[in-house]
Amino acid sequence: MVELIPDSYVTRLDLPKIFGRAAPLNVDLGCGDGSFLSAVAERMPGENFLGIERLLGRVRSACRKAARIDNMRVIRVETAYAVRYLLPEQSVQVFHLLFPDPWPKRRHQRRRVMTSEFLRSVHRALAPQGVLRIATDQLDYFEQMQRLARADPQFAIVDPLLATPVGVDDVDLPLTKFERKFQQHAVPIHRLALRKVSPVM
Ligand SMILES: C[S@@+](CC[C@H](N)C(=O)[O-])C[C@H]1O[C@@H](n2cnc3c(N)ncnc32)[C@H](O)[C@@H]1O
């Protein structure tokens, strides 16, 4: 089974049971149709890959891809909730936040997933030295994310080209569906990578 229906939405996920083994965990937040996650999961059979997505149609597309991949699961749940309440402490090696919904209108910006509270949850869920990889086409969202990151001493901003999943060069990383679309239209893409540097207080 590739769509993950947890026993409970109020207790943390039992990752070794879900994947049938203990291995470094990569989590794609808003994985869309799972194009990126399935491609990277196939390249890295020694690691576990979890997609988080709230839209049913996209969850189904991602699950169809995951059906032929042993080390990939998909869960239909809201990102901030999953990071804060479902992922165990220090369980995640790499979070991917790739082209999160930009909410460009000022009155909608409070719907953006990246906040200081979200960063605190990410920090708790990350393993020591774990990384949050971010990409967006939305410059003002990118600048907001940079400001939040600089203000948070629990993260170091690192070179996004070096902060790749273990064993994979950035140049080799598969493109996400949105990334492909933006590249075709020569839309500039902004990238940020944050490494966890201090324990949760
Ligand atoms: C712009 S798309 C990018 C999809 C994919 N990461 C890519 O780059 O192709 C954003 C995705 O995040 C999902 N999403 C947005 N907000 C979410 C949330 N709060 N919880 C879970 N998924 C969310 C959307 O449904 C959508 O599939």
Side-chain angles (χ1 to χ4, degrees), residues 28-33 52-55 58 77-80 97-103 111 113 176-179:
D28 190 358
L29 302 168
C31 68
D33 71 352
I52 291 175
E53 173 56 52
R54 69 176 170 195
L55 290 185
R58 292 182 185 176
V77 70
E78 200 275 323
T79 286
L97 182 64
L98 305 174
F99 308 97
D101 284 352
W103 298 112
R111 299 180 191 172
V113 69
T176 76
K177 187 173 178 181
F178 276 69
E179 193 168 15

Side-chain angles (χ1 to χ4, degrees), residues 16-53:
K17 183 175 164 199
I18 287 163
F19 285 96
R21 65 177 184 177
L25 179 66
N26 299 256
V27 179
D28 190 358
L29 302 168
C31 68
D33 71 352
S35 304
F36 169 80
L37 196 64
S38 57
V40 80
E42 282 187 305
R43 287 186 199 179
M44 301 174 68
E47 303 205 359
N48 293 335
F49 292 82
L50 178 64
I52 291 175
E53 173 56 52

Side-chain angles (χ1 to χ4, degrees), residues 153-190:
Q154 301 193 106
F155 287 97
I157 298 179
V158 293
D159 183 346
L161 295 181
L162 300 179
T164 59
V166 181
V168 178
D169 292 337
D170 191 73
V171 282
D172 284 345
L173 275 178
L175 300 183
T176 76
K177 187 173 178 181
F178 276 69
E179 193 168 15
R180 218 173 300 124
K181 204 173 65 178
F182 291 136
Q183 281 199 356
Q184 278 163 6
H185 294 91
V187 174
I189 293 173
H190 312 286

Side-chain angles (χ1 to χ4, degrees), residues 40-96:
V40 80
E42 282 187 305
R43 287 186 199 179
M44 301 174 68
E47 303 205 359
N48 293 335
F49 292 82
L50 178 64
I52 291 175
E53 173 56 52
R54 69 176 170 195
L55 290 185
L56 180 60
R58 292 182 185 176
V59 169
R60 287 188 175 147
S61 300
C63 284
R64 275 194 292 278
K65 296 183 178 75
R68 55 184 164 77
I69 304 171
D70 286 344
N71 56 337
M72 174 175 166
R73 304 287 184 279
V74 184
I75 182 170
R76 186 179 180 206
V77 70
E78 200 275 323
T79 286
Y81 183 88
V83 176
R84 183 162 181 184
Y85 295 112
L86 297 185
L87 290 167
E89 194 170 321
Q90 303 201 10
S91 63
V92 179
Q93 203 61 47
V94 183
F95 276 115
H96 302 274

